[in-house]
Amino acid sequence: MRLMITKIISLNKDKMSIAKEQDVVPFRNRVKEYAIKIKMSLVNQTKLITAASELGRNMLRYANGGKVLIEIVSLGRQHGIRLTFDDQGPGIPDIQLAMNDGYSTGKSLGLGLPGAKRLVNEFEIKSELGVGTKVTITKWANG
Amino acid sequence: MDRIPILRMGQFLLVTIQVDLYDRLALELEADLVKMVSKTGAKGILIDISAVSIVDSFMGRIIGNIGVMSKLLDAETVVVGMQPAVAITLVELGLPLKGVYTALNVEKGMDLLKSKVQIIEDDEIDAANDNEDHLPE
Amino acid sequence: MATEITKILKKRKSVILERWMKNQLTDETLREDLISNEELRAESEELIDILTKSLNETNLTDPDSSDFDHVIEILGGISLSRAKQGFSPRETGLYVMSLKETLLQILQEEVKDPADLIAATLNLSRLIDNFSIITFETFIKGREEVILRQTDEITEISTPVIRVWDGILALPIIGTLDSARTQVVMESLLTEIVESGSSVAILDISGVPTVDSLVAQHLLKTVSATRLMGAECVISGIRPEIAQTIVHLGIDLSDIVTKASLASALSFAFATLKVEVKKVAR
């Protein structure tokens, strides 16, 4: 109550690594636990976990896995979950292209990145060729 | 290794997905179902996803594939029991689930399958009759 | 510091309260209609009590010290309740500011050395100003809470799902359909579909003032989600001017069933469910 909080602060965090397919399910469960902790509505939970699943799969398929940071964040009065997907894969040559619906270099529907973006409140992607890709998404409890 | 069981009920196949699928499990289900349709000559597949809390684009693609593949083998696919939150998420994701029918629950799904198969059979009988009519004397 | 001002303040606690009360009671903005003098006195006394208790020579210069947590808590409580009671920001602000005036008066009487007086005044001002800011912030927070609660109430009452027949639901939408509203509409409609096992849902948009491409998109999403669940969704209540806008904007609604009135949507629903309604000859 001391000062109006205007920047996002991280309250609670957890790091998980996704190295094989079977890691995705426990990862999704962990995200769900966090979402329940901040009383996120069921629909928003489902959207967040679906987005997390898309990004987790991308990481497995294109970068042979990576790490995810799960955080409870708060901005002023609202709480949310922030997920940071960090991989050391080949990187994305053209992010704009990758964000287009239906674009895919793999044999998928190409909904992963743009779909995940539509499901969350904030979406940020940084990629460097040969270094890796970092995707950060945030979903607010009532957003 | 886990496997999703496929039950046979008359001319239909029944699958209830009770666990959150990881990719390989979903792919195996797709392959098993298509094989099963071909082996049994089933006319319809009913997939109950009421216990599934997440359907992402991969899972959606598998469901769509099952629909299209079984259609090639002359079987209809009905997905039943989708949770509201999953439906809303799929729409937002931009995944329309083409190639499959949907129903609220197993009972309604069965009715739908029966009616679809009925219509097809009627058409075939009609077509057969038509052919008879036009046979040269 | 030569003069220990915290001691002075502690010593003259009762005088401070009396003067502060006098200040408040003579102020023309006093809201006797919202708060009784006794309540005001109790509130003020508690605040001064805690303030003098938490104050010491070291934290006097450090408004962020955790020693003041209790003071801030009380101040927060006061301004929250004031926001909800309908006090204006000015009235709430003056409450803390009149305390500052009183405190400074006391200092002026007690501290003789001008240099000490200035130092003490500055420190005390900074401290109380910090409290004022907190009061304002909590006041605004209190107002925001009121607004949020009302928003929630509006969203809740604005999406009533009606069971019009066994297996048929209707949802009249009144007002603009934005994305937050769409989410609520979808959620309550789909949940009700599952609960009632309905196969047809009618979305009546007679009460929607305009349909632009965004609203149309929201309608389409609701229809798609309903179909994914295995139910059909009909849109009714399309007024002629809305039909015109839809065509002029080039919005394609050909994939969904639309009806002019709720009545014709209902008869479509009957047909879908193979229900026949007829007059009985007596």
Side-chain angles (χ1 to χ4, degrees):
Chain A
M1 256 207 262
R2 173 140 303 186
L3 278 169
M4 194 74 104
I5 302 148
T6 45
K7 63 174 198 291
I8 295 180
I9 54 165
S10 162
L11 302 170
N12 198 345
K13 54 176 108 182
D14 200 354
K15 199 157 199 165
M16 286 184 86
S17 79
I18 297 181
K20 52 184 190 302
E21 255 180 46
Q22 284 86 335
D23 293 340
V24 176
V25 174
F27 161 63
R28 294 202 300 218
N29 292 342
R30 185 71 60 87
V31 174
K32 191 177 180 78
E33 275 168 35
Y34 271 73
I36 290 171
K37 228 183 253 176
I38 61 162
K39 300 190 177 70
M40 191 179 274
S41 75
L42 182 64
V43 173
N44 283 344
Q45 272 179 40
T46 310
K47 286 185 179 177
L48 171 69
I49 299 166
T50 309
S53 182
E54 298 290 342
L55 296 173
R57 168 167 309 105
N58 271 353
M59 212 158 69
L60 274 174
R61 180 171 298 150
Y62 300 109
N64 271 323
K67 291 209 172 353
V68 191
L69 181 67
I70 310 169
E71 288 168 291
I72 293 180
V73 291
S74 89
L75 176 71
R77 53 189 311 119
Q78 51 175 353
H79 292 286
I81 303 284
R82 181 166 66 192
L83 304 175
T84 310
F85 295 80
D86 214 342
D87 71 50
Q88 265 114 50
I92 303 169
D94 187 344
I95 291 185
Q96 205 129 40
L97 193 61
M99 290 305 295
N100 279 348
D101 262 338
Y103 173 81
S104 172
T105 52
K107 277 191 304 174
S108 69
L109 294 173
L111 284 173
L113 284 179
K117 186 179 179 182
R118 279 195 292 270
L119 294 174
V120 295
N121 300 113
E122 275 148 51
F123 183 98
E124 198 190 334
I125 179 163
K126 278 187 202 133
S127 185
E128 206 175 317
L129 282 181
V131 179
T133 304
K134 189 172 179 170
V135 183
T136 310
I137 57 173
T138 310
K139 183 90 190 160
W140 299 111
N142 50 7
Chain B
M1 195 75 191
D2 317 318
R3 230 184 174 90
I4 309 286
I6 301 170
L7 308 178
R8 190 174 166 190
M9 271 181 72
Q11 49 183 348
F12 302 131
L13 299 177
L14 189 67
V15 180
T16 305
I17 303 176
Q18 299 278 15
V19 290
D20 272 339
L21 294 183
Y22 50 90
D23 296 6
R24 196 167 309 135
L25 206 55
L27 281 169
E28 272 169 17
L29 176 65
E30 177 191 294
D32 287 354
L33 262 176
V34 177
K35 261 183 234 154
M36 195 79 156
V37 171
S38 148
K39 200 171 85 187
T40 61
K43 290 288 167 217
I45 301 173
L46 189 134
I47 306 174
D48 177 13
I49 58 163
S50 56
V52 175
S53 57
I54 299 294
V55 175
D56 57 14
S57 66
F58 183 81
M59 176 84 173
R61 182 162 69 112
I62 297 285
I63 293 176
N65 284 355
I66 292 175
V68 179
M69 289 171 188
S70 47
K71 183 84 197 161
L72 287 174
L73 297 169
D74 195 23
E76 301 290 344
T77 306
V78 178
V79 173
V80 306
M82 187 183 291
Q83 290 179 13
V86 172
I88 294 172
T89 305
L90 278 182
V91 168
E92 210 69 54
L93 193 64
L95 204 65
L97 277 200
K98 287 200 176 97
V100 297
Y101 296 98
T102 51
L104 270 184
N105 49 39
V106 176
E107 197 188 339
K108 290 198 163 135
M110 270 303 181
D111 290 347
L112 184 65
L113 266 186
K114 277 179 198 151
S115 70
K116 293 285 169 209
V117 171
Q118 196 74 50
I119 291 166
I120 292 165
E121 276 175 359
D122 287 354
D123 283 354
E124 276 167 5
I125 292 164
D126 284 350
N129 288 343
D130 284 353
N131 284 343
E132 258 169 43
D133 289 347
H134 293 108
L135 277 180
E137 285 172 38
Chain C
M1 195 176 286
T3 330
E4 296 199 321
I5 63 163
T6 50
K7 277 204 180 130
I8 298 171
L9 294 179
K10 272 179 196 150
K11 198 175 69 198
R12 303 201 53 182
K13 202 167 83 182
S14 51
V15 185
I16 295 173
L17 177 63
E18 285 319 314
R19 286 215 198 151
W20 185 23
M21 281 311 294
K22 206 173 132 226
N23 273 352
Q24 292 189 66
L25 294 179
T26 50
D27 197 293
E28 53 193 40
T29 59
L30 178 73
R31 297 295 298 265
E32 279 167 314
D33 53 332
L34 293 179
I35 187 164
S36 72
N37 289 350
E38 289 75 39
E39 269 179 83
L40 185 63
R41 194 183 176 86
E43 248 179 35
S44 310
E45 194 169 0
E46 191 191 9
L47 185 64
I48 291 183
D49 222 38
I50 299 294
L51 178 63
T52 47
K53 231 179 253 167
S54 354
L55 201 62
N56 60 45
E57 288 303 318
T58 37
N59 62 25
L60 184 63
T61 51
D62 176 19
D64 285 333
S65 157
S66 62
D67 297 350
F68 297 124
D69 281 356
H70 202 166
V71 180
I72 287 165
E73 202 179 296
I74 288 171
L75 268 178
I78 291 175
S79 50
L80 265 183
S81 71
R82 294 197 167 199
K84 282 174 190 158
Q85 283 162 352
F87 278 81
S88 76
R90 167 185 287 265
E91 287 151 6
T92 313
L94 275 176
Y95 175 70
V96 183
M97 288 179 191
S98 61
L99 170 64
K100 179 168 137 185
E101 216 176 291
T102 315
L103 290 176
L104 294 183
Q105 272 171 16
I106 301 276
L107 282 187
Q108 203 176 8
E109 287 163 20
E110 294 275 337
V111 185
K112 297 300 169 218
D113 181 46
D116 274 2
L117 180 60
I118 288 176
T121 310
L122 274 179
N123 284 336
L124 204 60
S125 291
R126 202 178 297 134
L127 186 67
I128 306 286
D129 285 349
N130 192 44
F131 291 158
S132 305
I133 292 170
I134 289 163
T135 313
F136 264 108
E137 280 176 357
T138 13
F139 179 83
I140 290 168
K141 246 188 212 168
R143 280 293 174 90
E144 273 173 1
E145 253 161 44
V146 174
I147 295 170
L148 278 180
R149 209 189 52 233
Q150 286 170 346
T151 318
D152 282 354
E153 273 167 18
I154 291 171
T155 6
E156 234 162 73
I157 49 175
S158 62
T159 50
V161 184
I162 309 157
R163 293 189 198 188
V164 280
W165 201 270
D166 187 27
I168 304 172
L169 295 179
L171 198 160
I173 302 175
I174 293 159
T176 327
L177 200 59
D178 58 12
S179 55
R181 185 93 187 279
T182 310
Q183 169 123 353
V184 177
V185 166
M186 274 204 244
E187 235 180 297
S188 36
L189 184 65
L190 299 193
T191 316
E192 195 59 28
I193 286 177
V194 175
E195 265 168 29
S196 62
S198 299
S199 346
V200 185
I202 303 168
L203 220 55
D204 189 86
I205 58 165
S206 326
V208 177
T210 47
V211 174
D212 55 14
S213 45
L214 212 60
V215 173
Q217 210 188 353
H218 291 142
L219 288 174
L220 283 169
K221 271 185 191 168
T222 311
V223 174
S224 310
T226 318
R227 285 186 179 159
L228 278 177
M229 305 272 307
E232 182 54 91
C233 188
V234 189
I235 299 203
S236 74
I238 302 198
R239 286 174 278 127
E241 61 269 29
I242 285 190
Q244 277 178 307
T245 348
I246 288 176
V247 173
H248 287 159
L249 287 174
I251 301 167
D252 184 14
L253 291 184
S254 58
D255 269 352
I256 57 184
V257 185
T258 50
K259 299 284 167 193
S261 66
L262 185 63
S264 48
L266 197 57
S267 52
F268 169 84
F270 284 149
T272 314
L273 292 181
K274 301 189 178 73
V275 172
E276 214 176 311
V277 181
K278 55 181 172 190
K279 260 190 193 145
V280 187
R282 287 183 193 268

